[in-house]
Amino acid sequence: MSISQDITDRLMMSRALQLARFGSGRVSPNPMVGAVITSPDGRIIGEGWHRYFGGPHAEVNAVRSVKESDRHLLPHSTIYVTLEPCSHYGKTPPCAQLLTECGFKRAVVAIEDPNPQVAGRGLRMLREAGCKVAVGIMAREATELNRRFLTVQKLGRPWIQLKWCESADKFIGKFGENGQPSPCPLSSPLGKVWMHRHRSMCDAIVIGSGTAITDRPRLTLRSWPGKNPARVVADRRKRVDLETLFPDGNAFRIGDHALRTEIERLGREYEIGAIMVEGGSTLLQSFLDENLFDEIRVEHSPIILNTGVAAPEIPASLPSSTKTLTDGNTVTTYRNPIFWNAISTRQKEITLIS
Ligand code: AOF
Ligand code: ZN
């Protein structure tokens, strides 16, 4: 392949990835997917992305966006897609079939779709129809973008984010006069917005029964647009009255089985692809002890509490990065390598030309 072709492919795939991100918070548990169509003279003649769960796929929207006067160019055109076109009838018909009907000359795909209903069949359908297929362009970026969806497919459980806010002396809350944990505001205003944005990217929020009783949280999206996640309370002893706490429904209890089993069940039975665990400390520590997490996000407040509920203990040597919120608090993100260890070497490769 020529260098100019390679650079063009990366440029167009970057655009497709940018389009895919418009689906953030709207498509889960489906992947975010973007598609770009270029004519032989290098013009972008079509663009699309998967906009909402159950809706048309990115390729369908891209093909539909092509102007009538450009449609004759399709058999000479290239389509760039951030995920292998699907080959199955799900909520929508197979995209690979649509692409072969359009007669695309070339398809450039970032990563294969590990969904067992697709898993290489989409690429095969295209090749068998005479389309030239290139796979692996910006694979790392596409993997990063869809790490939630890919975790479900590769590890057979939802993607799990643990989240808490801790004081400068590593407490996540205070004890009230009765000796029970009591709510204590440590998050900054921007930290709260950040948290709601992350809620919008998950399908369920999990909390322990103690947190449900002491904090009486609403667990809704208020500072960010999107659909409210389901609420899941780990409550083996059935201490929490879910109907009173969450009168609008969309809430259920787990706790009869081992934590891992319960979390896997959330994925299988309720189409939950990503969860956020918001506390309390005991539940968060259980996820940590079981190595049952993909990402930890800790907001650090400069407040000193001197005593209180101790923050969970993060395993040493997890890769992390820290950023400062404009209102003073900092956020540290830790990544569990478990997911990156489960994917192919090709997907881990860092794109050198950008
Ligand atoms: C694509 N393009 O934009 C997306 C794909 O139930 P359905 O019909 O929406 O199918 C969902 C599955 O299709 C999903 O699990 C994933 O394997 C694939 N998603 N494929 O060609 C897209 N969103
Ligand atoms: Zn599709």
Side-chain angles (χ1 to χ4, degrees):
M1 189 202 295
S2 73
I3 290 180
S4 68
Q5 173 81 79
D6 190 42
I7 290 173
T8 305
D9 284 352
R10 285 168 197 275
L11 211 64
M12 294 304 166
M13 191 58 85
S14 305
R15 175 65 182 152
L17 285 163
Q18 187 183 38
L19 294 167
R21 278 187 202 98
F22 286 123
S24 175
R26 295 181 172 85
V27 298
S28 182
N30 271 358
M32 291 173 256
V33 184
V36 168
I37 301 171
T38 57
S39 66
D41 60 357
R43 234 174 359 107
I44 292 183
I45 57 168
E47 289 191 332
W49 67 95
H50 185 38
R51 288 169 179 256
Y52 58 93
F53 180 75
H57 286 182
E59 301 90 319
V60 175
N61 287 331
V63 168
R64 282 182 189 162
S65 78
V66 176
K67 281 196 293 199
E68 205 46 55
S69 53
D70 282 333
R71 293 198 85 82
H72 69 283
L73 294 170
L74 287 181
H76 313 282
S77 298
T78 297
I79 184 159
Y80 295 86
V81 199
T82 60
L83 183 74
E84 172 184 3
C86 65
S87 52
H88 67 299
Y89 284 87
K91 293 186 173 58
T92 65
C95 291
Q97 190 181 316
L98 170 73
L99 302 196
T100 58
E101 281 162 12
C102 293
F104 282 102
K105 187 175 159 201
R106 187 166 173 254
V108 181
V109 172
I111 52 173
E112 285 167 26
D113 184 349
N115 178 348
Q117 290 180 289
V118 185
R121 286 185 200 88
L123 299 175
R124 207 176 321 131
M125 277 170 77
L126 292 172
R127 286 190 177 116
E128 282 172 5
C131 178
K132 262 177 73 183
V133 179
V135 189
I137 311 291
M138 303 194 76
R140 189 186 160 92
E141 291 82 350
T143 302
E144 174 73 30
L145 177 72
N146 274 317
R147 57 191 188 281
R148 293 169 178 79
F149 168 77
L150 295 170
T151 296
V152 175
Q153 302 298 331
K154 296 271 183 188
L155 303 181
R157 58 150 175 86
W159 183 83
I160 303 167
Q161 184 181 54
L162 310 183
K163 169 258 150 192
W164 67 87
C165 182
E166 65 183 36
S167 65
D169 47 358
K170 293 194 175 300
F171 295 108
I172 63 166
K174 292 194 287 199
F175 288 115
E177 281 166 12
N178 55 3
Q180 292 298 312
S182 81
C184 157
L186 290 169
S187 264
S188 68
L190 200 55
K192 276 199 192 116
V193 174
W194 162 84
M195 194 254 292
H196 282 245
R197 177 171 165 256
H198 277 267
R199 276 185 182 172
S200 81
M201 289 190 259
C202 66
D203 306 309
I205 300 175
V206 184
I207 57 168
S209 56
T211 302
I213 291 163
T214 54
D215 288 10
R216 304 196 61 75
R218 281 183 283 167
L219 306 179
T220 51
L221 281 187
R222 297 184 295 281
S223 308
W224 200 266
K227 70 172 182 354
N228 284 332
R231 295 77 157 241
V232 179
V233 183
D235 180 24
R236 188 165 46 88
R237 283 178 287 159
K238 302 189 172 48
R239 297 197 296 155
V240 181
D241 177 357
L242 291 180
E243 282 174 18
T244 310
L245 186 59
F246 303 117
D248 54 336
N250 199 17
F252 44 95
R253 185 189 322 272
I254 59 168
D256 290 341
H257 303 99
L259 190 57
R260 187 177 292 272
T261 311
E262 293 283 38
I263 298 302
E264 285 170 0
R265 195 168 64 89
L266 289 180
R268 256 195 333 271
E269 291 180 17
Y270 299 97
E271 284 195 319
I272 285 173
I275 66 169
M276 182 161 162
V277 186
E278 290 204 18
S281 198
T282 311
L283 183 66
L284 287 162
Q285 194 63 54
S286 308
F287 277 90
L288 286 161
D289 293 345
E290 295 249 347
N291 194 23
L292 191 57
F293 65 93
D294 296 290
E295 201 170 278
I296 308 170
R297 291 225 168 193
V298 185
E299 184 181 344
H300 302 275
S301 157
I303 294 171
I304 295 176
L305 292 180
N306 292 316
T307 178
V309 183
E313 277 179 42
I314 296 172
S317 76
L318 282 184
S320 69
S321 63
T322 298
K323 66 173 172 222
T324 304
L325 301 174
T326 47
D327 55 7
N329 283 12
T330 59
V331 173
T332 305
T333 305
Y334 300 83
R335 285 282 180 89
N336 192 337
I338 200 164
F339 163 70
W340 291 99
N341 292 343
I343 60 169
S344 72
T345 319
R346 190 168 60 182
Q347 275 171 260
K348 286 178 205 161
E349 278 167 14
I350 294 173
T351 305
L352 296 176
I353 305 172
S354 58

